[in-house]
Amino acid sequence: MNTTFAYGQVDDTIELIGSRASAYDELVGRFGPLLREKARLGDEFAAEEVAPPAVDPARIAAGVPVLTGQDLSLWTKGFCRSARTLLPLLARAIGMERDVSDRFKQYFGDPKNILGLAQARIEGNWKHFENTSVQLFTQPDIALYVTETVSSPVFNAIAVTMGEPFSRENWGHGHCPVCGSSPSLAMLVPGDTANSEYLVGGGGAKYLHCPLCGHDWRYRRTACAACGNEDGETREILHQDGMKCERIEACHQCGKYMLTIDLREYASPPHPDAIQMGLIHLDVIARQRQLVPVSPTLWNTID
């Protein structure tokens, strides 16, 4: 199972969110154009068949993500093209001040700067974002979000080159095997008896979704993605009445939570990145219970 951007699926998901509740109208209006263009661009990169990364089976077996430690300069042109396309839409979506937007545009105009930020994101080099934010007169989390947004279509295309078989590898870790990111969403799909250790009571198989590269990997159905806890006494499922297909998986051992959608219950599967914009009400419930998301995103950190 591997998630591409798939413009049509993203567009359908945005329409689904807009049809549910008027409370989401503003977000759909602001971020819809950005999400759609991000999807279109991601589809283009995937169709162009970008160069695949080198895969070391020994590193994978040791739990080291594919892109960790790799030189990303092979994909510099893609990062630059994505930045030129998405920065204006991103600035409008988040209401970025004109002077800040201009500084980002100038900074991202240098391929070395874009590559440095993308590399820092993969390596988890937060200090690089702190230093960059000083140069741009902004906050480190803004520099991080901009970097993730403009680099995501490229990382997604890279993940697609790994192929479907890679997504079925028994990775077993709570971080992405391609880029190392923490998952932002869990998905339940029809079960596969060939991997019975990942199923419980005949239920669906569980996949975790990477918010950066879009890769989906199989994970233990009853385990917390943050700490691996499988104790039923310290894990809890929360959902709104009549919406069991969209829920919160809470772990009281580590205090973190993961949003989960059951793809078996949808007439048409929503796109895992886009649907998260329509699940903010669940993030609010989790926050009221003093829970922290496994992976902070724009949607689960909105005040």
Side-chain angles (χ1 to χ4, degrees), residues 95-116:
M96 187 181 288
E97 296 292 337
R98 178 64 180 271
D99 58 334
V100 177
S101 175
D102 288 343
R103 285 195 293 270
F104 267 104
K105 182 178 180 180
Q106 181 178 7
Y107 189 82
F108 276 69
D110 186 336
K112 292 182 180 179
N113 290 338
I114 301 177
L115 190 61

Side-chain angles (χ1 to χ4, degrees), residues 167-225:
S167 70
R168 294 188 177 276
E169 290 290 329
N170 292 334
W171 173 248
H173 298 285
H175 58 272
C176 177
V178 177
C179 70
S181 299
S182 296
S184 60
L185 188 74
M187 300 175 289
L188 299 180
V189 303
D192 178 2
T193 55
N195 289 275
S196 59
E197 72 272 24
Y198 291 88
L199 305 179
V200 176
K206 180 178 180 178
Y207 280 81
L208 301 180
H209 175 74
C210 176
L212 183 63
C213 74
H215 185 72
D216 305 320
W217 68 101
R218 192 185 293 268
Y219 194 67
R220 301 186 307 279
R221 172 75 180 265
T222 60
C224 170

Side-chain angles (χ1 to χ4, degrees), residues 101-145:
S101 175
D102 288 343
R103 285 195 293 270
F104 267 104
K105 182 178 180 180
Q106 181 178 7
Y107 189 82
F108 276 69
D110 186 336
K112 292 182 180 179
N113 290 338
I114 301 177
L115 190 61
L117 287 169
Q119 199 82 53
R121 174 61 180 81
I122 292 297
E123 305 299 336
N125 185 357
W126 179 245
K127 186 65 176 178
H128 188 85
F129 287 97
E130 291 180 335
N131 294 338
T132 300
S133 68
V134 172
Q135 298 179 55
L136 296 174
F137 298 95
T138 189
Q139 299 298 317
D141 57 343
I142 297 297
L144 176 63
Y145 174 64

Side-chain angles (χ1 to χ4, degrees), residues 257 280 282-292 299-303:
Y257 75 93
I280 295 176
L282 294 181
D283 290 307
V284 172
I285 293 173
R287 188 183 308 178
Q288 291 171 343
R289 291 175 175 256
Q290 306 303 309
L291 295 167
V292 178
W299 315 120
N300 61 36
T301 54
I302 290 178
D303 293 325

Side-chain angles (χ1 to χ4, degrees), residues 19-284:
S19 68
R20 283 183 172 182
S22 58
Y24 283 106
D25 286 349
E26 181 184 358
L27 282 177
V28 168
R30 286 169 55 194
F31 288 93
L34 173 63
L35 293 175
R36 289 185 175 97
E37 186 61 18
K38 185 178 172 183
R40 186 197 64 77
L41 191 60
D43 285 346
E44 282 189 4
F45 286 138
E48 291 169 6
E49 299 182 350
V50 299
V55 179
D56 184 343
R59 280 164 49 95
I60 293 296
V64 180
V66 172
L67 292 179
T68 297
Q70 288 211 25
D71 182 3
L72 301 181
S73 61
L74 185 63
W75 304 286
T76 299
K77 290 184 178 179
F79 289 128
C80 292
R81 177 174 151 199
S82 185
R84 289 194 302 270
T85 303
L86 297 179
L87 271 176
L89 292 171
L90 173 60
R92 286 196 291 272
I94 65 176
M96 187 181 288
E97 296 292 337
R98 178 64 180 271
D99 58 334
V100 177
S101 175
D102 288 343
R103 285 195 293 270
F104 267 104
K105 182 178 180 180
Q106 181 178 7
Y107 189 82
F108 276 69
D110 186 336
K112 292 182 180 179
N113 290 338
I114 301 177
L115 190 61
L117 287 169
Q119 199 82 53
R121 174 61 180 81
I122 292 297
E123 305 299 336
N125 185 357
W126 179 245
K127 186 65 176 178
H128 188 85
F129 287 97
E130 291 180 335
N131 294 338
T132 300
S133 68
V134 172
Q135 298 179 55
L136 296 174
F137 298 95
T138 189
Q139 299 298 317
D141 57 343
I142 297 297
L144 176 63
Y145 174 64
V146 172
T147 299
E148 290 177 335
T149 299
V150 302
S151 64
S152 184
V154 182
F155 285 129
N156 181 262
I158 293 171
V160 169
T161 69
M162 310 292 291
E164 184 70 16
F166 187 77
S167 70
R168 294 188 177 276
E169 290 290 329
N170 292 334
W171 173 248
H173 298 285
H175 58 272
C176 177
V178 177
C179 70
S181 299
S182 296
S184 60
L185 188 74
M187 300 175 289
L188 299 180
V189 303
D192 178 2
T193 55
N195 289 275
S196 59
E197 72 272 24
Y198 291 88
L199 305 179
V200 176
K206 180 178 180 178
Y207 280 81
L208 301 180
H209 175 74
C210 176
L212 183 63
C213 74
H215 185 72
D216 305 320
W217 68 101
R218 192 185 293 268
Y219 194 67
R220 301 186 307 279
R221 172 75 180 265
T222 60
C224 170
C227 69
N229 174 36
E230 293 188 79
D231 177 16
E233 297 297 319
T234 55
R235 299 187 72 249
E236 182 181 13
I237 303 296
L238 306 168
H239 60 81
Q240 288 191 319
D241 291 341
M243 290 297 292
K244 291 184 178 181
C245 63
E246 299 171 350
R247 56 189 187 244
I248 302 165
E249 290 190 12
C251 177
H252 298 295
Q253 178 169 289
C254 67
K256 294 188 177 181
Y257 75 93
M258 172 76 68
L259 297 185
T260 301
I261 59 175
D262 191 339
L263 297 182
R264 301 168 300 175
E265 301 296 325
Y266 290 91
S268 179
H271 191 277
D273 288 322
I275 193 61
Q276 293 175 61
M277 179 172 64
L279 300 177
I280 295 176
H281 56 283
L282 294 181
D283 290 307
V284 172

